[in-house]
Amino acid sequence: MSDANGNGVNPEKDLSAENLPGQRGQGGEEIRVQRGMFGADNGGDTSGYGGLVRSVRLPGPASRPYGGWFDEVADELEGALEEQDLVPGNAIEKTVVDRDELTFHIEREHLVRVARTLRDDPALRFELCTGVSGVHYPNDKGRELHAVYHLRSITHNRVIRLEVSAPDSDPHIPSLFEVYPTNDWHERETYDFFGIVFDGHPALTRIMMPDDWQGFPQRKDYPLGGIPVEYKGAQIPAPDQRRSYS
């Protein structure tokens, strides 16, 4: 998106911008400003949206009351942790309510205890973890790698998320295999693509990429393309070597 002079316009700061989903405006924490559709900064943006400028923001902590059953879950979790002589503020970094979804940001050293509490406490009963997803924010200094767990309570018909962060320099997060065994291959996939090391996993090996593959393909600093493709005798250059439209 550009203004009349052809300069990039940041829709997060342009109050007249319309038809853009999920705008946070000035709310949350800005971790970087992205230019182009995919944020390429080496001339590899082939989308035709090289003039697009937008803020990349993480939602900030929510304030009480959260609304609906969110307060009940938060109260029960904090009370259960206190019963275990764990100060809730030491385990829960922040509680986020964004787009009608509840996320607890957990300090990684307390992840296993919090997950077991959410699973076993009768008032919570989040019996099922449907997987873990990796996220990489290169500009989120000191917490570049994020692991996001999706928990479901079949008993109470509720869904929440746990989010844990780790720095690139120390990409270790405790495995939840012993609490939710179905996370076995989910953690392997997240390790394979993002390089997050899940301490305590019984067999943390690559699951998608070859065993001798170098690097982690879904990190944002991983080279875009770089491998040419042969198709019916034609040689198609890698994406980072194609024509740029910016």
Side-chain angles (χ1 to χ4, degrees):
M1 179 179 294
S2 302
D3 59 16
N5 298 320
N7 299 317
V9 175
N10 188 338
E12 299 285 356
K13 298 180 179 178
D14 179 10
L15 298 181
S16 64
E18 298 177 352
N19 300 322
L20 295 169
Q23 296 183 67
R24 287 199 175 94
Q26 297 298 322
E29 177 185 356
E30 182 177 270
I31 57 173
R32 73 185 179 97
V33 175
Q34 176 172 306
R35 289 172 170 79
M37 180 66 75
F38 304 109
D41 55 6
N42 58 356
D45 189 343
T46 60
S47 67
Y49 289 88
L52 181 66
V53 184
R54 65 182 296 268
S55 299
V56 177
R57 294 178 177 274
L58 300 181
S63 301
R64 297 267 196 169
Y66 303 139
W69 53 265
F70 292 175
D71 291 280
E72 178 184 344
V73 169
D75 290 340
E76 292 291 347
L77 176 58
E78 292 174 6
L81 293 177
E82 288 176 345
E83 291 175 0
Q84 302 173 49
D85 297 324
L86 177 59
V87 178
N90 292 339
I92 304 173
E93 178 186 342
K94 64 179 178 179
T95 301
V96 173
V97 176
D98 186 56
R99 293 170 173 81
D100 296 324
E101 296 177 329
L102 176 65
T103 304
F104 295 107
H105 289 249
I106 307 299
E107 297 290 347
R108 55 180 171 170
E109 60 267 27
H110 299 299
L111 174 63
V112 174
R113 182 185 293 193
V114 170
R116 186 178 288 111
T117 301
L118 286 165
R119 184 194 66 180
D120 295 342
D121 191 281
L124 296 169
R125 285 294 186 213
F126 286 90
E127 309 98 332
L128 178 64
C129 180
T130 57
V132 55
S133 305
V135 191
H136 185 214
Y137 296 110
N139 299 96
D140 193 13
K141 300 304 180 183
R143 52 182 188 182
E144 292 88 354
L145 295 168
H146 292 235
V148 184
Y149 298 84
H150 307 265
L151 305 185
R152 177 178 292 275
S153 170
I154 300 174
T155 300
H156 302 293
N157 191 26
R158 294 169 174 172
V159 178
I160 64 171
R161 281 198 300 258
L162 300 182
E163 186 164 339
V164 187
S165 62
D168 271 338
S169 58
D170 181 27
H172 290 263
I173 291 176
S175 171
L176 286 188
F177 174 80
E178 65 177 68
V179 182
Y180 297 108
T182 52
N183 266 351
D184 183 353
W185 72 269
H186 290 279
E187 291 184 349
R188 286 181 60 194
E189 184 179 57
T190 304
Y191 160 73
D192 196 356
F193 287 149
F194 291 91
I196 298 176
V197 179
F198 293 94
D199 295 328
H201 190 282
L204 194 63
T205 57
R206 290 193 182 271
I207 192 172
M208 303 293 287
M209 308 302 293
D211 291 340
D212 59 351
W213 192 266
Q214 298 297 313
F216 306 102
Q218 288 193 350
R219 287 197 182 188
K220 296 295 179 62
D221 53 8
Y222 191 80
L224 177 62
I227 301 176
V229 179
E230 290 187 8
Y231 180 72
K232 292 186 177 181
Q235 188 83 357
I236 302 174
D240 57 350
Q241 299 171 10
R242 298 177 193 170
R243 174 182 172 188
S244 173
Y245 294 92
S246 13

